[in-house]
């Protein structure tokens, strides 16, 4: 039992503020707190499509395959905007595993064989509906069947980068890897190294 057993939130109004690349809504909520008092709250929420990401690991060489691409929000912070990430993408109506197999092929050129679902997590639950499904897969150099680089029709401009796992972990501390989903998967790899390095 938690202190929130009797708390509740009732949506009074849902107003669309913007509906472009993603929808932004303003909500008016009557929130009854844990003490039984009701307050009117105002929240803005980005409605993001569910997504998936994957750690591609070569156990023979103990390397991971990452992708580098442009991210405008990073540039808006005045930081280098071409950042390293694990392959990822929106589900677009597919099941998470099917979507991440497609994204891995499009972005890296690697055909994913055995794949493990790890967990799912909300990227920013205070302001976004986005939930990300996390996967891992072992790969081999023979699994790369194309150059990857993303889809031309979506104007994706992706560089495929192979990095030793230890180096990738160190790059978190030096600020060379700043993407949350990539940090989570690399930390998962560090915690599960014994199982990870079995070819």
């Amino acid at each position: 039992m938690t202190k929130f057993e009797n708390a509740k939130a009732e949506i009074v109004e849902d107003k669309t503020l913007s509906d472009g690349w993603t929808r932004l809504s303003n909500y008016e909520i009557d929130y009854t707190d844990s003490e039984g008092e009701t307050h009117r709250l105002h929240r803005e929420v980005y409605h993001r499509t569910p997504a998936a990401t994957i750690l591609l690991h070569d156990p023979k060489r103990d390397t991971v395959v990452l992708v580098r691409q442009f991210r405008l929000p990073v540039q808006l912070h005045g930081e280098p905007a071409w950042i390293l990430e694990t392959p990822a993408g929106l589900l677009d109506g597919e099941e998470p595993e099917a979507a991440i197999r497609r994204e891995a092929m499009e972005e890296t050129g690697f055909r994913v064989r055995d794949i493990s679902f790890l967990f799912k997590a909300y990227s920013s639950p205070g302001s976004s509906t986005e939930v990300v499904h996390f996967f891992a897969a072992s790969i081999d150099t023979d699994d790369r069947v194309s150059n990857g680089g993303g889809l031309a029709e979506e104007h994706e401009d992706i560089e495929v980068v192979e990095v030793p796992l230890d180096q990738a972990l160190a790059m978190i501390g030096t600020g060379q890897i700043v993407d949350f989903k990539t940090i989570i998967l690399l930390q998962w790899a560090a915690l599960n190294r014994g199982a990870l390095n079995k070819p």
Side-chain angles (χ1 to χ4, degrees), residues 64-199:
V64 292
V65 175
L66 303 176
V67 294
R68 190 191 310 276
Q69 58 189 313
F70 174 75
R71 295 301 192 193
L72 176 59
V74 181
Q75 178 170 305
L76 296 177
H77 276 281
E79 299 179 19
W82 285 263
I83 66 171
L84 283 172
E85 305 177 33
T86 49
L90 304 179
L91 301 191
D92 291 333
E94 294 178 288
E95 290 299 312
E97 182 176 324
I100 200 56
R101 286 181 182 276
R102 170 181 51 77
E103 289 289 346
M105 176 70 81
E106 290 174 3
E107 294 189 3
T108 71
F110 277 89
R111 179 184 59 243
V112 179
R113 292 174 294 171
D114 296 330
I115 190 170
S116 297
F117 171 73
L118 305 178
F119 45 80
K120 68 178 183 178
Y122 286 88
S123 60
S124 186
S127 60
S128 173
T129 62
E130 182 180 59
V131 59
V132 181
H133 301 260
F134 290 76
F135 293 88
S138 294
I139 56 166
D140 186 271
T141 52
D142 292 339
D143 295 327
R144 192 166 191 194
V145 295
S146 73
N147 291 329
L151 296 178
E153 61 265 29
E154 294 183 7
H155 308 292
E156 292 180 316
D157 185 23
I158 293 172
E159 177 187 10
V160 182
V161 182
E162 189 170 5
V163 184
L165 178 55
D166 282 335
Q167 181 181 338
L169 287 164
M171 291 168 78
I172 298 171
T174 61
Q176 294 168 278
I177 291 179
V178 295
D179 173 63
F180 93 98
K181 65 184 180 300
T182 305
I183 293 171
I184 289 171
L185 281 173
L186 289 173
Q187 293 288 356
W188 175 88
L191 291 171
N192 293 275
R193 199 133 198 190
L196 194 66
N197 284 329
K198 293 178 181 177

Side-chain angles (χ1 to χ4, degrees), residues 3-9 31-34:
K3 66 179 284 184
F4 298 109
E5 289 295 320
N6 296 315
K8 63 180 180 178
Y31 179 76
T32 303
D33 65 21
S34 57

Side-chain angles (χ1 to χ4, degrees), residues 37-50:
E37 294 186 20
T38 301
H39 312 273
R40 177 64 56 88
L41 303 181
H42 312 277
R43 295 290 184 269
E44 291 182 0
V45 173
Y46 285 96
H47 299 268
R48 294 287 292 146
T49 303

